[in-house]
């Protein structure tokens, strides 16, 4: 029980401890219970990360795309968009991967995410390389 903030911290703590299964469940529950809470987009983002770390790219992609759709303009947007690109690349979809990474650079040119997107695009640059 306790406050939404306490529940979020507990879920985030599980993630930091490497308990990705439990963290995924807790983060998903948080978003379901408090969809309007200011921490909900963060919970969605870390839910995506929990899946990504476990190489469950389809689930990670769903979380990151859900964040972009349900919480547009949130401060996690550049990072979520970056991770959409990473997921698409891991799923062997270079077209959508490039599109997402290019959007990061275009829409958030000064972000850390844009720098990472540029680096990833350069690595993708030579097919088969």
């Amino acid at each position: 029980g306790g406050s939404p903030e306490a529940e979020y911290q507990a879920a985030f703590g599980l993630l930091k401890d490497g308990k990705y299964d439990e963290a995924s469940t807790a983060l998903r529950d948080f978003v379901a219970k408090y969809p309007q809470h200011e921490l909900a987009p963060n919970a969605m983002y870390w839910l995506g990360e929990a899946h990504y770390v476990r190489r469950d790219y389809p689930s990670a992609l769903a979380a990151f795309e859900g964040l972009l759709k349900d919480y547009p303009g949130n401060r996690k947007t550049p990072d979520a968009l970056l991770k959409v690109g990473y997921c698409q690349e891991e799923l062997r979809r270079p077209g959508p991967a490039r599109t997402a990474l290019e959007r990061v650079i275009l829409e958030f040119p000064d972000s850390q995410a844009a720098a990472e997107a540029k680096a990833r695009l350069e690595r993708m640059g030579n097919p088969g390389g």
Side-chain angles (χ1 to χ4, degrees), residues 26-50:
L27 290 163
R28 195 180 298 113
D29 290 350
F30 181 90
V31 175
K33 257 168 86 174
Y34 310 108
Q36 303 305 317
H37 196 277
E38 63 180 352
L39 287 168
N42 291 41
M44 281 283 273
Y45 179 81
W46 294 114
L47 175 60
E49 284 286 351

Side-chain angles (χ1 to χ4, degrees), residues 11-34:
F12 192 66
L14 289 168
L15 186 70
K16 281 201 299 221
D17 292 343
K19 296 176 177 154
Y20 300 116
D21 287 330
E22 294 157 68
S24 298
T25 303
L27 290 163
R28 195 180 298 113
D29 290 350
F30 181 90
V31 175
K33 257 168 86 174
Y34 310 108

Side-chain angles (χ1 to χ4, degrees), residues 67-127:
L67 190 159
L68 295 173
K69 182 167 98 354
D70 296 341
Y71 304 99
N74 178 266
R75 62 188 191 86
K76 282 285 182 203
T77 300
D79 297 314
L81 198 48
L82 178 73
K83 285 292 159 72
V84 165
Y86 285 12
C87 290
Q88 295 285 23
E89 192 191 3
E90 296 289 354
L91 292 165
R92 306 276 184 273
R93 299 176 190 150
R98 272 177 199 285
T99 302
L101 295 171
E102 283 162 1
R103 267 188 65 195
V104 179
I105 297 162
L106 198 67
E107 295 177 27
F108 307 97
D110 300 326
S111 66
Q112 177 61 36
E116 290 176 37
K118 277 186 189 131
R120 181 60 71 109
L121 280 167
E122 279 165 25
R123 278 210 297 282
M124 290 172 69
N126 28 354

